[in-house]
Amino acid sequence: MKNLFLFTLMFFMFSCDKEEEIVINSENLLLGVWTNSTYDSNTNTTTFERVGELPNERYGVSFQEDGTYINRTSGWCGTPPLTFFNIEGTFILDKDVVKVNIQDFPGDFQWKIVELDENKLVVKRELTDQEKDHKELMNVFNEIELLSMSVSCTDSNNWDFVAYGSKACGGPQGYIAYSSLIDVTSFLEKVTVYTKLEDEYNKKWGIGSTCDVTPQPKKVNCENGYPVLKY
């Protein structure tokens, strides 16, 4: 009985060691399991440590030889007790960029590999092509907003509104107020450009939207120096 107990204990210890065994693919060091992540806000990089298997109660990622990507996460819930689960997707290694696709949030994303060896992986978030297009779209909209807010609203008679944007299902995204005291021609041209760009963005990336009709305002009121659309 004593020998049986020792054999059982040795087998259990061997099994644990086997589960924690770290396998390194010398031809592709990215393959494997990474956890114990730390984020450096100065360099916007995240550093991972290689381990043998995904932890049960901690964030981690796994890159498998068949192209499968596994994200061990607790989601966005920050209140204990945390419940961890796996989200699966696929990945492609393109030189020093890891392109990941998952069906859940955040969807497609890219990591640029800053450093990689047998024990450490350092990555930096890199914008996808869609995110770059969206950023350019928002830059144009920000210009429109800055022009709209460049004049204090003191007399509503000097203000009007215009539809902007393009919903994927048709119609404008909304309406924005503008003053007759600004360069109205330039402002309306920017709105036209933004609307065209958003329509192109929606078609290019297959963006969906609701098909409800965006209500049109009736007038602009001045409240505390700001234009307020009234419906």
Side-chain angles (χ1 to χ4, degrees):
M1 181 64 69
K2 182 177 179 181
N3 290 337
L4 178 60
F5 172 77
L6 289 174
F7 175 79
T8 303
L9 179 61
M10 290 176 65
F11 178 80
F12 176 76
M13 293 174 63
F14 176 76
S15 298
C16 291
D17 289 339
K18 186 175 182 179
E19 290 178 354
E20 293 292 336
E21 180 184 359
I22 298 177
V23 178
I24 299 176
N25 186 319
S26 59
E27 295 182 359
N28 187 350
L29 292 176
L30 178 66
L31 298 179
V33 182
W34 305 90
T35 188
N36 299 329
S37 61
T38 56
Y39 178 72
D40 186 338
S41 59
N42 294 321
T43 59
N44 293 322
T45 59
T46 302
T47 300
F48 291 89
E49 174 188 346
R50 189 191 295 275
V51 294
E53 61 182 13
L54 284 170
N56 290 326
E57 305 297 329
R58 192 166 64 251
Y59 169 65
V61 297
S62 172
F63 299 97
Q64 301 182 7
E65 194 168 359
D66 64 355
T68 299
Y69 168 83
I70 302 176
N71 181 9
R72 183 70 175 166
T73 179
S74 61
W76 292 100
C77 178
T79 304
L82 300 179
T83 301
F84 284 80
F85 53 92
N86 289 347
I87 295 177
E88 292 194 13
T90 59
F91 79 95
I92 296 175
L93 179 59
D94 184 6
K95 297 181 181 178
D96 61 347
V97 175
V98 186
K99 301 178 180 180
V100 177
N101 173 264
I102 53 178
Q103 297 301 314
D104 298 82
F105 184 84
D108 296 354
F109 68 91
Q110 295 181 169
W111 278 340
K112 181 178 178 60
I113 299 176
V114 178
E115 183 179 348
L116 174 62
D117 59 30
E118 289 83 357
N119 303 308
K120 183 170 65 174
L121 169 65
V122 183
V123 296
K124 185 174 184 178
R125 185 76 160 80
E126 192 168 85
L127 296 180
T128 63
D129 290 339
Q130 182 178 352
E131 288 172 324
K132 291 176 183 177
D133 285 352
H134 187 264
K135 184 177 180 181
E136 292 179 4
L137 190 64
M138 290 301 98
N139 287 340
V140 177
F141 185 73
N142 288 339
E143 292 178 9
I144 294 172
E145 277 194 317
L146 287 173
L147 281 174
S148 171
M149 304 303 294
S150 63
V151 176
S152 179
C153 187
T154 56
D155 184 355
S156 59
N157 291 321
N158 295 329
W159 287 79
D160 203 346
F161 57 83
V162 64
Y164 72 87
S166 175
K167 295 178 66 173
C169 199
Q173 286 284 5
Y175 292 83
I176 189 168
Y178 65 94
S179 170
S180 60
L181 302 179
I182 66 172
D183 186 340
V184 174
T185 300
S186 176
F187 177 81
L188 295 179
E189 285 177 352
K190 288 182 181 294
V191 172
T192 300
V193 169
Y194 174 81
T195 300
K196 181 176 182 294
L197 288 175
E198 185 170 32
D199 180 57
E200 293 173 349
Y201 174 85
N202 292 339
K203 292 175 180 176
K204 180 179 180 179
W205 297 108
I207 303 301
S209 73
T210 59
C211 294
D212 54 306
V213 178
T214 304
Q216 179 174 321
K218 295 181 178 179
K219 61 178 180 178
V220 180
N221 281 359
C222 292
E223 298 180 7
N224 299 318
Y226 293 97
V228 179
L229 299 175
K230 294 297 181 178
Y231 295 86

